Amino acid sequence: MTERHILVCSCEDTMPQAAAAVRRACPGAKVSEGRQFCRAELERFRTAAQGREPLIVSCTQEAPLFGEVAAELGVPAPAFVNIRETAGWSSEAREALPKMAALLAAAAEPTPATPVVALKSDGVALLYGKDERIIEAAQLLKEHLDITVLLTPGAAPAPPRVTEFPVVRGFIRNAKGALGGFEVTVDGYATPHPSSRDELIFGPTRDAAVSRCDLIIDLSGGAPLFPAADLRDGYLRADPGDAAAVLRLVMKARDLTGEFEKPRYISFHEEQCAHSRASIVGCHRCLDLCPTGAIAPAGNHVAIDAAICAGCGQCAAACPTGAAAYALPPADALLRRLRTLLAAYRQAGGREPVVLFHDGEHGTDLVDALARFGDGLPANVLPVAVNEVTQVGLEVVAAAFAYGAAAVRFLLRAKPRHDIAGLAKTIALAGAILGGLGFNGPRAATIETDDPDALGMALRTLSAMPPAVEAAQFAPVGGKREVLRLSLRELHGVAPAPRDVVPLPADAPFGAVIVDTTGCTLCLSCVSACPTGALSGDPDKPMLRFSEDACVQCGLCRATCPEKVIALQPQIDFRAATAQARVIKQEEPFACIRCGKPFGVKSTIERVAAKLEGKHWMY
């Protein structure tokens, strides 16, 4: 922050001036205060923009104006932070000065660039509907797209005077793909006779006809063709009885020709995936949670179709090995922002911070509405905008409390656009760990509403929950699994009542392997199946060892064991990170009776020999 210049505006004195709090929270930073940088004091912005220090402006409403001025001056655009709707416009504005300082401090944290996926559409469109309304939509789009109309069975509109685009009949059995690469299978496919007079007369039908197109416009009024259909790029669907919705759809479809880019939301490392080994399935958490069907098995690992992925992030939040990690932003970048936010809030005199995770589309609108038409956010609620609330994993929640948060809330729609089971599991897992470490009360929970007043009420009625007495200051470094381990270890270090072992709910990514040693033959099938090296053997003697810190509870060992003597015990042992591998079972090797070379487990060979004794000429 010592290299930053921060412009703090009171927005024509509609909120308290926060410059003094910013100076406390950001010692060494250059701070300038004003009341109208966008109009009367615009020259001050020009001067600051031409300075040597990177610039942060406490306004997002006038960001286009400031960006335009920066472009005219030939200097980089500043960073913009909204401290007005999030803090200054509130009935608790005077108490919100530490929050304003914290939001400005967090803006200095760099955000890594997100990789992108290239999509290309040539404008080949399939319009799917049941009556004249789909024909009307096609008429509006025929000059912009390469149109084919597919009528559902039973539809028989009047034939056109001039055939400007193909009209066929059939119903879609299934569809796959995304913008620029759809494949549709049609049953009952038929083309009309050119001699059709008062209505279209269709010829013989055939099934399993395949159509490929760049986008699908669905006005059939039936069930959507895809799960989480609103999140499928290139699939446009509206109620045919809603004329306004159909018009909006048509206007959107007109622009879907050309080359496009979308974020590659998930970075995936297949070598870390614990999905299966030797055709035996172990971990399937991501497959169970993906709302769009973008994830599919691909041998020992899964594959993520980046064109279909809509970025909900539940796969990354649930992935126990870190093979799938969110990239918008990565977990370590989000944790660095949280660290700065909470540290600056505390430095400026703030107390009992509540971190509110929200998305940019729904959550930002709700926060703005609460500020403009209600009492605004409480002074201790620190809003953190993320791409999708469901991307937040256990490592982020644990780090928030380690850094000094008193509570964490997730702002969701009253009717979510997709299943939020992954977030529910994350909250349940975090609750078990926090409760086991002495953080009493509902520390992590959701607020599901579309009403700004309900949001304000839910936040204002939060019972007082003190944070950790001493906040951690660790710097998050490494991949997702490493950051998760570090966050939990630091949380344990500042917990009110730390315990070494905390039981966890089923499907947790930490735990022990319990082996019935009386039935174990030390065949070591589990060792060969373990994807993380949690189970290991010894090259010189029959031995099975277990390292709990490496176990992700994928279940491959349990599924592979021929004796079925392995069970999983979900728990977190905070001593595991520094503990040596534990010997589960060890036996003497059996030496060959001719050459003396060890080649098996002594008890197993003796048991086999005893069964064969007197029943075979060699024994």
Side-chain angles (χ1 to χ4, degrees):
M1 290 301 296
T2 56
E3 301 177 354
R4 302 282 172 170
H5 187 181
I6 306 174
L7 300 185
V8 186
C9 186
S10 67
C11 197
E12 299 180 309
D13 299 327
T14 58
M15 59 184 184
Q17 178 55 254
V22 174
R23 291 188 182 97
R24 287 197 303 273
C26 310
K30 183 177 180 181
V31 182
S32 300
E33 59 185 75
R35 66 180 303 274
Q36 198 190 62
F37 282 113
C38 59
R39 298 291 185 274
E41 298 170 317
L42 187 58
E43 195 59 37
R44 294 182 63 194
F45 169 78
R46 287 194 175 94
T47 302
Q50 296 176 84
R52 292 176 300 174
E53 306 93 348
L55 193 61
I56 298 176
V57 179
S58 65
C59 177
T60 53
Q61 176 178 290
E62 300 299 327
L65 170 64
F66 293 129
E68 183 180 330
V69 172
E72 291 174 357
L73 297 173
V75 298
F80 301 103
V81 184
N82 179 10
I83 66 169
R84 188 179 68 180
E85 281 84 358
T86 57
W89 283 1
S90 168
S91 60
E92 301 178 14
R94 290 290 172 188
E95 295 78 34
L97 295 176
K99 174 165 63 169
M100 298 183 200
L103 292 171
L104 288 164
E109 284 295 335
T111 301
T114 303
V116 297
V117 180
L119 302 176
K120 183 180 179 181
S121 168
D122 294 325
V124 179
L126 179 67
L127 276 69
Y128 185 46
K130 59 182 179 181
D131 52 28
E132 286 81 357
R133 282 172 287 194
I134 196 68
I135 304 294
E136 294 170 1
Q139 292 288 349
L140 295 172
L141 289 168
K142 65 183 180 183
E143 302 296 335
H144 307 276
L145 302 173
D146 183 355
I147 297 293
T148 297
V149 172
L150 176 63
L151 294 169
T152 57
R161 185 169 56 85
V162 178
T163 303
E164 298 176 292
F165 45 80
V167 177
V168 297
R169 189 166 70 181
F171 66 91
I172 296 177
R173 182 206 304 170
N174 57 55
K176 59 182 180 180
L179 178 65
F182 284 108
E183 182 176 297
V184 176
T185 302
V186 179
D187 286 343
Y189 174 80
T191 58
H193 293 301
S195 60
S196 299
R197 187 174 180 180
D198 59 338
E199 64 179 33
L200 288 174
I201 305 299
F202 292 89
T205 63
R206 64 184 178 94
D207 294 337
V210 176
S211 173
R212 293 177 177 84
C213 55
D214 296 312
L215 59 149
I216 300 174
I217 299 171
D218 185 355
L219 298 179
S220 65
L225 301 178
F226 301 97
D230 293 344
L231 305 179
R232 183 71 58 127
D233 291 324
Y235 177 62
L236 308 179
R237 179 172 174 265
D239 179 0
D242 186 342
V246 172
L247 183 58
R248 288 194 297 270
L249 178 148
V250 167
M251 295 178 66
K252 183 176 181 180
R254 290 172 54 176
D255 299 327
L256 292 181
T257 300
E259 296 183 357
F260 304 90
E261 289 183 346
K262 63 176 288 186
R264 186 179 292 275
Y265 299 104
I266 305 297
S267 59
F268 185 69
H269 303 280
E270 61 183 41
E271 69 279 2
Q272 299 177 20
C273 182
H275 172 58
S276 71
R277 295 294 184 273
S279 299
I280 297 176
V281 175
C283 179
H284 46 81
R285 294 172 173 90
C286 61
L287 291 166
D288 295 340
L289 293 173
C290 181
T292 62
I295 306 177
N300 284 345
H301 55 83
V302 299
I304 301 177
D305 190 328
I308 296 176
C309 174
C312 77
Q314 295 192 99
C315 60
C319 182
T321 65
Y326 209 73
L328 191 65
D332 59 338
L334 181 55
L335 262 62
R336 284 193 293 272
R337 190 169 60 160
L338 269 178
R339 177 194 184 199
T340 301
L341 179 75
L342 289 163
Y345 179 77
R346 190 170 54 254
Q347 182 78 14
R351 300 177 58 190
E352 298 183 359
V354 174
V355 176
L356 177 67
F357 290 106
H358 66 86
D359 63 20
E361 184 179 340
H362 168 258
T364 300
D365 288 347
L366 223 57
V367 170
D368 285 357
L370 181 61
R372 291 175 178 271
F373 307 107
D375 290 334
L377 289 176
N380 68 327
V381 174
L382 306 180
V384 177
V386 291
N387 185 57
E388 287 280 355
V389 175
T390 46
Q391 79 185 65
V392 178
L394 178 62
E395 70 282 353
V396 178
V397 180
F401 286 99
Y403 287 140
V408 169
R409 290 296 181 266
F410 299 90
L411 178 55
L412 298 169
R413 301 168 189 266
K415 184 178 180 181
R417 295 191 299 172
H418 55 75
D419 189 11
I420 58 170
L423 179 60
K425 290 183 177 181
T426 297
I427 292 173
L429 182 57
I433 295 174
L434 291 167
L437 297 179
F439 290 91
N440 299 321
R443 296 287 181 148
T446 61
I447 300 175
E448 301 174 33
T449 183
D450 298 331
D451 182 351
D453 291 331
L455 170 63
M457 181 67 69
L459 292 171
R460 281 187 167 79
T461 55
L462 275 177
S463 57
M465 290 177 281
V469 175
E470 184 177 350
Q473 294 294 318
F474 69 97
V477 178
K480 178 180 177 293
R481 181 76 179 183
E482 291 74 24
V483 169
L484 174 58
R485 287 173 174 149
L486 179 59
S487 299
L488 290 169
R489 193 158 59 245
E490 294 288 337
L491 176 65
H492 182 263
V494 300
R499 292 167 52 190
D500 288 335
V501 181
V502 176
L504 298 180
D507 210 28
F510 299 99
V513 167
I514 307 301
V515 179
D516 180 1
T517 54
T518 58
C520 175
T521 62
L522 287 177
C523 69
L524 301 187
S525 296
C526 55
V527 172
S528 61
C530 181
T532 63
L535 290 167
S536 59
D538 188 287
D540 299 321
K541 48 191 172 184
M543 179 187 293
L544 177 62
R545 294 179 295 192
F546 176 64
S547 177
E548 186 165 336
D549 189 51
C551 181
V552 297
Q553 300 282 285
C554 66
L556 277 168
C557 57
R558 179 177 58 188
T560 303
C561 178
E563 283 81 28
K564 304 302 178 186
V565 295
I566 296 180
L568 303 180
Q569 181 173 308
Q571 64 180 30
I572 181 165
D573 188 339
F574 290 98
R575 302 165 300 182
T578 56
Q580 294 183 340
R582 172 170 55 90
V583 176
I584 293 179
K585 184 173 183 179
Q586 179 180 353
E587 288 197 28
E588 291 296 319
F590 183 85
C592 174
I593 60 175
R594 176 170 295 178
C595 67
K597 181 178 180 180
F599 73 93
V601 181
K602 185 176 181 180
S603 63
T604 301
I605 301 299
E606 289 176 346
R607 188 160 53 247
V608 171
K611 287 184 178 181
L612 293 173
E613 188 174 7
K615 300 177 182 178
H616 192 278
W617 64 269
M618 290 182 63
Y619 300 90

